[in-house]
Amino acid sequence: MSVPSPSLPASASASPAAGSAPTQADLLDFVRRTAADAELIASLPLDPEGRTWVRLKGPGGSEAWLIGWPPGTGTGWHDHADSVGAFLTASGDLTEHSLAARLPSDGWKTLELTEGVDRVRRLSAGQGRAFGRHHVHEVLNESRDRHAISVHAYYPPLPQIRRYSRTGQVLRLEQVERPEDWQ
Ligand SMILES: [Fe+2]
C-alpha cells in the first residue's frame, strides 16, 4: 500500500524549515537556484585583474557569495573549519582540488598527506558540490581567456578560514582568518 506524500507549497521544500540549520543539501539547492538567476549572475561586476564578489542572503542564516574569477585566479588551499557549504559554477568552468581525507581539526602545523588523497573535479556551468566540515580544497579558474562565476553558501556563517600552503605531500597551516580580519 502506498502512502500519499503530503503536498507542500513549492517554497516549503526550497528552504530549510524555520528554526533548523540548513543542511548541505539545502545549501546546494540554494546555490543551484541562485546560479539559474541569469539577471543576478549578469549583475556581478567583473574585473580582469582580480576576483570580485557580492554578498547574498543565504537560506536559514547562512552566508552566501557570488564570486567572479578572472582567468588564472584561484583561492589557494584552505578550509572553512566548522562550516559546511556548497558551491556551484554559474558560468565558465572551475576546477576544485580537494583532499579525500579527514584531517585532525586542530593542534598541528604541518601534516604529511598519504598518497592517493588528492581529488580533482572540473565543474562546468550548472555543476557544483556540497561539502562537510573541515573540507580542505582550492578552487581555480584554469581558463586562459574566460571568466567564471560561481555561487557559494556556508553554514554556520564563516567563523574561520584556515589557509594552507602545500609542498608535495606536506600541508602547512599558514594562517587562520577570522571575520574580524576581513573588516
Ligand atoms: Fe572554500
Side-chain angles (χ1 to χ4, degrees):
M1 183 177 126
S2 69
V3 178
S5 55
S7 66
L8 295 170
S11 60
S13 60
S15 55
S20 71
T23 63
Q24 292 181 43
D26 294 327
L27 298 178
L28 186 58
D29 181 59
F30 169 80
V31 296
R32 178 162 286 123
R33 285 184 290 114
T34 303
D37 182 342
E39 197 174 332
L40 175 69
I41 299 307
S43 74
L44 177 68
L46 301 181
D47 178 351
E49 298 298 321
R51 282 190 288 157
T52 49
W53 48 86
V54 170
R55 187 153 181 181
L56 305 173
K57 190 175 181 308
S62 59
E63 176 168 335
W65 295 91
L66 188 56
I67 299 181
W69 312 69
T73 53
T75 58
W77 287 94
H78 67 278
D79 72 20
H80 301 283
D82 292 325
S83 294
V84 303
F87 68 99
L88 186 134
T89 304
S91 73
D93 296 281
L94 289 171
T95 301
E96 183 201 41
H97 297 155
S98 63
L99 301 179
R102 177 66 190 262
L103 305 184
S105 57
D106 273 311
W108 60 276
K109 178 77 178 166
T110 62
L111 201 63
E112 175 134 16
L113 301 169
T114 51
E115 298 289 336
V117 296
D118 285 288
R119 297 290 182 272
V120 181
R121 288 181 190 216
R122 205 159 303 271
L123 301 170
S124 301
Q127 296 180 315
R129 68 162 300 165
F131 55 82
R133 301 164 64 212
H134 307 153
H135 176 64
V136 180
H137 68 170
E138 65 170 350
V139 181
L140 311 156
N141 178 6
E142 295 182 316
S143 168
R144 292 180 175 207
D145 53 13
R146 195 165 169 218
H147 243 90
I149 298 176
S150 55
V151 184
H152 303 245
Y154 311 92
Y155 189 86
L158 296 183
Q160 286 183 13
I161 292 180
R162 295 186 293 214
R163 296 200 174 277
Y164 305 97
S165 62
R166 182 164 175 188
T167 307
Q169 292 301 100
V170 177
L171 199 64
R172 174 186 293 270
L173 177 64
E174 297 289 351
Q175 196 176 350
V176 179
E177 296 176 6
R178 297 170 196 279
E180 55 268 28
D181 299 331
W182 309 333
Q183 290 165 10

